[in-house]
Amino acid sequence: MRFTSDQRLDDGVLERGFTLGEIPGILWTPGSASAPAPLILLGHPPLGLHKMYPRLVARARHAAAEGFAAATIELPWSGDRPRSAAAEQARADLRRALEAGEPVSDQIIDALILPLVDEAVPEWQAALDALLALPEIGGPVGYSGGVISIGVRLAVVEPRIAAAGLFAGSFVPRTILEEARQVTIPLHVLLQWDDEGNDRQTALDLFDAFGSTEKTLHANMGGHTGVPQFEGDAANRFFARHLR
Amino acid sequence: MRFTSDQRLDDGVLERGFTLGEIPGILWTPGSASAPAPLILLGHPPLGLHKMYPRLVARARHAAAEGFAAATIELPWSGDRPRSAAAEQARADLRRALEAGEPVSDQIIDALILPLVDEAVPEWQAALDALLALPEIGGPVGYSGGVISIGVRLAVVEPRIAAAGLFAGSFVPRTILEEARQVTIPLHVLLQWDDEGNDRQTALDLFDAFGSTEKTLHANMGGHTGVPQFEGDAANRFFARHLR
C-alpha cells in the first residue's frame, strides 16, 4: 500500500489517495482521532471512483463526524483499471434487455454480478489487511453500501467485518440469495421502495434470507438515488452501536 | 375533560389522569416546558389502559425527553368501560380460528376491527379537541402505535394529525387497505418481520398502499413484542422532524 496524495478537508478530515498494487483507493481519517478509529469500508456501484467521489466523500465525512475512518477502492474493470470483455458484454446484454423492456434473465444477472463478486471480494480483503496495519486504524470494521452481492459475500467470508449497512439496489444472483443464509452479523438494509432498477420482491427475499438475528430493513419512497438524508444519520447510529 | 389525578414522575414529567365523559385517559407533559408542547397521541391494543400502563408510560417519558406531550384514552369496550357483545363475539371467533390453526377470515377481521375503528376514532378526535384547548399543549399532533387501522382512519379524517408512527402488528380489513391510499401525511411504519400474530404480506401491501410521499418502513427481527430498543429513538427522531 502506497500513499499517493494527501489533503486536509475543511472539516479537518484527512483524505489520502493510495494504491494497493494496481488498485487505486482513498482513505479518510477523522481530524481529531486520539485512539485508533474503527473503519467503515465504503462500497459503491461500478461507475468508477472519480464519478462516485462526491457521494463517497460525503459519506466519509459523515462517518468521520462520528469518529470513524472510511476507505474505498476502485472496483475491478472500473475507472482507470483494465476493462474485461466479459464484463462489457454482460453490461451490454443488460442494457439491451432493459431497453427492450424484457425481464432481466438469471443468466444476465449472473454474468453481470458473479465475476465482479469473485474478483472484488479478495481485493477488499487485501485492502483490509493493509488498512488495519496502519496505526491510526483499529477494528472493528463495517462495510457499507455499494453492490449488495459484494457486501453479502464479504459478510460471509471476512470475519473481521462486524456489521454491514447494505443497499438493496442492484440485481442479486440466486446463488447470492443462498449465501445470504450464512450471514450472521448485524445488518442494516436500505430499500428504495420504487427503485426503477431494482426488483422489490428480490430485495425482500434477500432480507428474509439473511441468517442474522439483528437485521433491520429501512424502506423509503423515491427512486434509486432518492435515499432520504435522514438515512445517513440512521446508518451512522447503526455503526455506532456495533463498531464501538 | 376533567382531571382526576396528578403526580410528578421522577424525571419531572407530570402525569395526569382525566376523564372525557365516560372515557378515562392519561396526559403526560414534559417537566420543563416553556412553550406549548407538540402532542403525540399514544395508541395501544385493546387490552385496557391498566394493563398497557407500563409500556405507555415508558413511551410517554421517551417522548417527554424530546419535549413532546403525550396522551392516551381507553379504547371502547376495554378496561373498565362497558363491554360489547359483538366485540366479545368477534374476539371469541378470532381465538377459535387461531386455536384451530385456521386462516383468519375477512369476516372475522372485519367484525373485530371495523366497529372498533368506527367507535374509537371520533373519541380520539374528541380527546384532541379537549387536549388542544389546554394552554400547555400546542400543535402539531402526531399519532403513534396501537391498532394500525385506527391510525389509518385518524390519518385520513383528522387534519390536525401531521405525522403518524404506525405499528403493523394487527389484522387489517380490506376497506382499511383502501382507505390507506388517501393517507398523505408523513408515516413511520414499524414491522416485526416474524410477528406470529400478523400477516407480513398484508403489512407490506398496507405500506405500499399509503398515498404519502414520505413513508418509511422499519422491519426488524423478533416477534410481536420484540421491537428493538433503538426503534424508540428512531420514532422520536421521526416526530422531531415533523412536529417541530
Side-chain angles (χ1 to χ4, degrees), chain B residues 87-170:
Chain B
E88 299 289 311
Q89 183 62 50
R91 289 189 203 185
D93 291 344
L94 172 68
R95 245 191 328 268
R96 198 171 308 122
L98 291 175
E99 282 166 8
E102 290 166 7
V104 180
S105 69
D106 284 353
Q107 287 90 326
I108 292 178
I109 295 174
D110 287 356
L112 192 73
I113 302 291
L114 292 179
L116 181 65
V117 172
D118 289 342
E119 194 80 8
V121 165
E123 295 180 353
W124 286 83
Q125 292 184 286
L128 208 44
D129 294 341
L131 290 160
L132 288 174
L134 298 172
E136 61 269 41
I137 308 291
V141 179
Y143 176 87
S144 160
V147 178
I148 194 166
S149 296
I150 294 178
V152 172
R153 175 74 59 80
L154 265 173
V156 171
V157 302
E158 180 46 71
R160 291 173 294 184
I161 293 183
L166 303 175
F167 180 41
S170 47

Side-chain angles (χ1 to χ4, degrees), chain A:
Chain A
M1 185 187 202
R2 199 166 59 81
F3 286 109
T4 54
S5 69
D6 66 279
Q7 63 167 322
R8 188 68 70 170
L9 307 182
D10 54 17
D11 51 4
V13 173
L14 179 62
E15 174 181 297
R16 283 175 284 178
F18 64 82
T19 56
L20 188 77
E22 300 302 304
I23 307 166
I26 313 174
L27 170 63
W28 294 270
T29 43
S32 56
S34 47
L39 173 67
I40 299 177
L41 298 174
L42 301 183
H44 51 87
L47 302 171
L49 276 191
H50 184 73
K51 181 160 180 195
M52 291 305 299
Y53 176 81
R55 276 185 270 172
L56 288 165
V57 73
R59 289 162 63 197
R61 292 170 111 139
H62 209 106
E66 292 288 317
F68 300 130
T72 192
I73 55 173
E74 188 65 273
L75 288 173
W77 321 314
S78 288
D80 295 330
R81 299 187 63 187
R83 289 290 176 274
S84 139
E88 299 289 311
Q89 183 62 50
R91 291 189 201 185
D93 290 345
L94 172 67
R95 245 190 331 268
R96 200 172 306 122
L98 291 175
E99 282 166 9
E102 292 167 7
V104 179
S105 69
D106 284 353
Q107 287 90 328
I108 292 176
I109 294 174
D110 287 356
L112 191 74
I113 302 292
L114 291 179
L116 181 65
V117 172
D118 290 341
E119 193 79 10
V121 165
E123 294 180 354
W124 286 82
Q125 292 184 285
L128 207 44
D129 294 339
L131 290 161
L132 288 174
L134 297 173
E136 60 270 41
I137 308 291
V141 179
Y143 176 86
S144 161
V147 177
I148 195 167
S149 296
I150 293 177
V152 172
R153 174 73 59 80
L154 266 172
V156 172
V157 302
E158 180 47 70
R160 291 173 293 184
I161 293 183
L166 303 175
F167 179 40
S170 47
F171 297 104
V172 178
R174 282 175 200 275
T175 57
I176 297 288
L177 272 170
E178 286 306 312
E179 283 180 49
R181 299 182 197 285
Q182 300 169 47
V183 175
T184 57
I185 58 171
L187 297 177
H188 179 88
V189 183
L190 286 183
L191 168 63
Q192 289 299 97
W193 197 249
D194 295 315
D195 191 335
E196 57 284 0
N198 184 30
D199 183 70
R200 186 195 299 164
Q201 192 56 53
T202 302
L204 293 171
D205 291 345
L206 179 60
F207 179 71
D208 192 47
F210 286 122
S212 308
T213 51
E214 184 186 329
K215 54 179 177 180
T216 300
L217 179 74
H218 282 198
N220 287 286
M221 293 303 101
H224 186 76
T225 57
V227 178
Q229 283 274 330
F230 56 77
E231 287 293 358
D233 296 320
N236 258 359
R237 276 186 300 274
F238 166 76
F239 283 119
R241 283 203 305 278
H242 295 291
L243 302 186
R244 285 245 176 76

Side-chain angles (χ1 to χ4, degrees), chain B residues 74-85:
Chain B
E74 188 64 271
L75 289 172
W77 321 314
S78 289
D80 297 328
R81 300 187 63 186
R83 290 289 176 275
S84 139

Side-chain angles (χ1 to χ4, degrees), chain B residues 34-73:
Chain B
S34 46
L39 174 68
I40 299 177
L41 298 174
L42 301 183
H44 51 86
L47 302 173
L49 276 191
H50 184 74
K51 180 158 181 197
M52 291 306 298
Y53 176 81
R55 275 183 272 171
L56 288 165
V57 72
R59 289 162 63 198
R61 293 171 110 140
H62 209 105
E66 292 289 317
F68 300 129
T72 192
I73 55 173

